[in-house]
Amino acid sequence: MARKAGFPPVADANTRVLILGSLPGEASLAVQQYYGNPRNAFWRLMEGVLGASLVPLAYEARLAALRAHGVGLWDVIAEAERPGSLDAAIRDPAANDLVKLIEGLPALRVVAFNGGTAAKLGGRLIDERIPTIALPSSSPAHAARSFEQKAQAWSALKTPLS
């Protein structure tokens, strides 16, 4: 089975909140975009957090809007074997160097994990170097919570961004 690799980080010296997913799914890899599956609620959730319209924007403009609001993106896993898009199918993961990235973000206030797999793996890697928030996954596969319930949980990001 071929290994799947994620994307480079989207972060800069002004990043106050770093959101870490697990590993991009098939739809995201196909379009080479973070949260590229149109059914993934990430961009709609971030609209509520930022109070800014993101969904209608082109991808590069979405990333620019996140950076302008102090939000960075990356994934806990650099590469892994995984048939399909489910986190449960991830095998033999290789981690991204989260510590190195975090140490290079002087304004960082919190790391937010998008989903349980990211929180479980990422929490071990960053080892209480900075406060963390575990968020319900924005993935369409995570249907245990409604969009409204997810949005309420994700609103916790508003405080470190203010």
Side-chain angles (χ1 to χ4, degrees):
M1 176 182 317
R3 291 184 68 80
K4 296 177 182 175
F7 309 129
V10 175
D12 59 31
N14 298 313
T15 298
R16 295 187 306 277
V17 171
L18 178 63
I19 300 173
L20 298 173
S22 56
L23 181 70
E26 293 290 327
S28 295
L29 291 170
V31 296
Q32 289 293 291
Q33 297 179 3
Y34 279 105
Y35 306 103
N37 182 338
R39 292 180 40 234
N40 191 299
F42 176 82
W43 296 106
R44 290 186 337 160
L45 290 165
M46 288 308 297
E47 283 184 333
V49 170
L50 302 178
S53 181
L54 298 171
V55 174
L57 300 177
Y59 179 66
E60 290 302 324
R62 288 179 183 182
L63 295 181
L66 289 182
R67 285 191 302 269
H69 284 91
V71 177
L73 297 176
W74 207 19
D75 288 303
V76 172
I77 299 169
E79 62 177 50
E81 293 179 8
R82 183 185 61 201
S85 296
L86 296 178
D87 283 356
I90 292 172
R91 299 290 176 263
D92 192 26
N96 275 315
D97 192 346
L98 302 179
V99 171
K100 182 177 179 182
L101 179 67
I102 288 168
E103 289 174 348
L105 299 175
L108 190 64
R109 295 179 183 168
V110 70
V111 171
F113 296 111
N114 184 355
T117 300
K120 180 180 172 184
L121 299 176
R124 292 180 197 151
L125 296 171
I126 63 172
D127 174 19
E128 299 181 17
R129 292 171 190 272
I130 190 145
T132 61
I133 300 173
L135 299 169
S137 176
S138 62
S139 168
H142 182 67
R145 293 191 190 189
S146 68
F147 176 80
E148 291 74 21
Q149 290 169 321
K150 290 180 184 184
Q152 182 176 358
W154 280 64
S155 71
L157 299 179
K158 291 179 181 181
T159 300
L161 288 172
S162 59

